[in-house]
Amino acid sequence: MLYLIFTILLCFLGLFTFVPKFKSVIERHSVGINFFLTLVATLVGVLLAISITNYEAKQKEKQDVIKLLMSSISSVETCYEYSEELIEYFNKLPKEDELRTGFYSKNPPPYPEYLDTFLMQNIVSKNLSGATLSDLNEYLINLKRSRTFNAPLYLKILEQTVKLLELEVAYQKGHINEAQLDLELSAIDNTLPTTGT
């Protein structure tokens, strides 16, 4: 933004050389004014190039973050599917079966470790919205804690994590604004059960 303001300011300074009121001054100092106009044109070109490069770099970073978000979604969905099958298997076991005792501590649902790696990347912490970053850290803590003692709750948190990541993708793509994102994230948080089954 600063580059753009400075470029416009230099262009306005250059426009003064075309005002008829300054014609005599311009003719007397034509060499200096030509040098000044050349300098302005060069600076304008350089500043515009820097602005364009910065814009393109931000767009590329945003695309990289979206790719990482999509990978995270895939990782969480894989864990969700496996956990769902694990819970289904547990629920089919007879009530008196000794396999039920400590089943989830012996066969914990898979944890999406990719999310930990995802959050440690500088590009993510720099570009992710503050609300998503905060909620995602909270979900990771809940995932780690609920994994071995409450598999249905773990499954619900995985589901909410996918929704959260999908909302962040929509935000990064510009489909929703920050206010809409916050509203949607609040709705997801309100669906989390306070007690597990």
Side-chain angles (χ1 to χ4, degrees):
M1 185 67 177
L2 182 64
Y3 296 131
L4 186 62
I5 293 169
F6 193 57
T7 301
I8 291 170
L9 182 67
L10 287 174
C11 288
F12 276 122
L13 282 174
L15 286 177
F16 279 112
T17 60
F18 296 104
V19 176
K21 187 176 182 180
F22 300 115
K23 186 176 181 181
S24 61
V25 174
I26 293 168
E27 287 174 356
R28 277 189 304 209
H29 304 288
S30 64
V31 173
I33 290 174
N34 285 338
F35 173 76
F36 173 73
L37 290 176
T38 303
L39 184 65
V40 166
T42 304
L43 285 174
V44 166
V46 168
L47 293 176
L48 284 175
I50 290 171
S51 296
I52 291 168
T53 302
N54 286 346
Y55 175 78
E56 288 174 351
K58 284 181 184 177
Q59 291 304 314
K60 178 162 179 2
E61 239 180 42
K62 191 171 276 204
Q63 290 303 316
D64 290 343
V65 168
I66 291 170
K67 286 178 188 173
L68 290 170
L69 282 165
M70 296 307 287
S71 295
S72 296
I73 290 170
S74 177
S75 171
V76 175
E77 285 175 342
T78 302
C79 291
Y80 180 86
E81 290 166 7
Y82 184 87
S83 299
E84 197 173 38
E85 288 181 24
L86 197 63
I87 291 170
E88 202 174 295
Y89 176 79
F90 176 78
N91 290 337
K92 287 180 181 176
L93 289 173
K95 298 276 186 207
E96 58 281 339
D97 195 330
E98 59 187 48
L99 289 175
R100 290 179 72 90
T101 308
F103 179 81
Y104 291 117
S105 42
K106 292 175 189 166
N107 305 294
Y111 174 75
E113 293 180 20
Y114 181 80
L115 289 178
D116 290 331
T117 308
F118 170 74
L119 283 174
M120 283 191 277
Q121 296 184 36
N122 188 34
I123 190 173
V124 171
S125 60
K126 194 167 72 170
N127 291 291
L128 225 56
S129 68
T132 299
L133 197 56
S134 173
D135 283 1
L136 189 55
N137 277 313
E138 182 181 325
Y139 286 176
L140 289 179
I141 292 167
N142 289 333
L143 284 171
K144 287 175 184 173
R145 294 188 71 208
S146 66
R147 189 171 158 222
T148 55
F149 77 88
N150 191 336
L153 177 62
Y154 179 75
L155 201 61
K156 183 68 177 169
I157 297 169
L158 281 173
E159 185 181 317
Q160 290 180 314
T161 304
V162 169
K163 289 178 186 174
L164 171 102
L165 293 169
E166 287 171 344
L167 283 171
E168 183 63 24
V169 168
Y171 172 71
Q172 291 293 326
K173 288 183 175 179
H175 297 161
I176 59 173
N177 61 31
E178 196 165 352
Q180 292 170 318
L181 177 68
D182 289 342
L183 191 64
E184 293 287 337
L185 291 178
S186 295
I188 291 173
D189 288 340
N190 292 335
T191 62
L192 186 64
T194 52
T195 58
T197 54

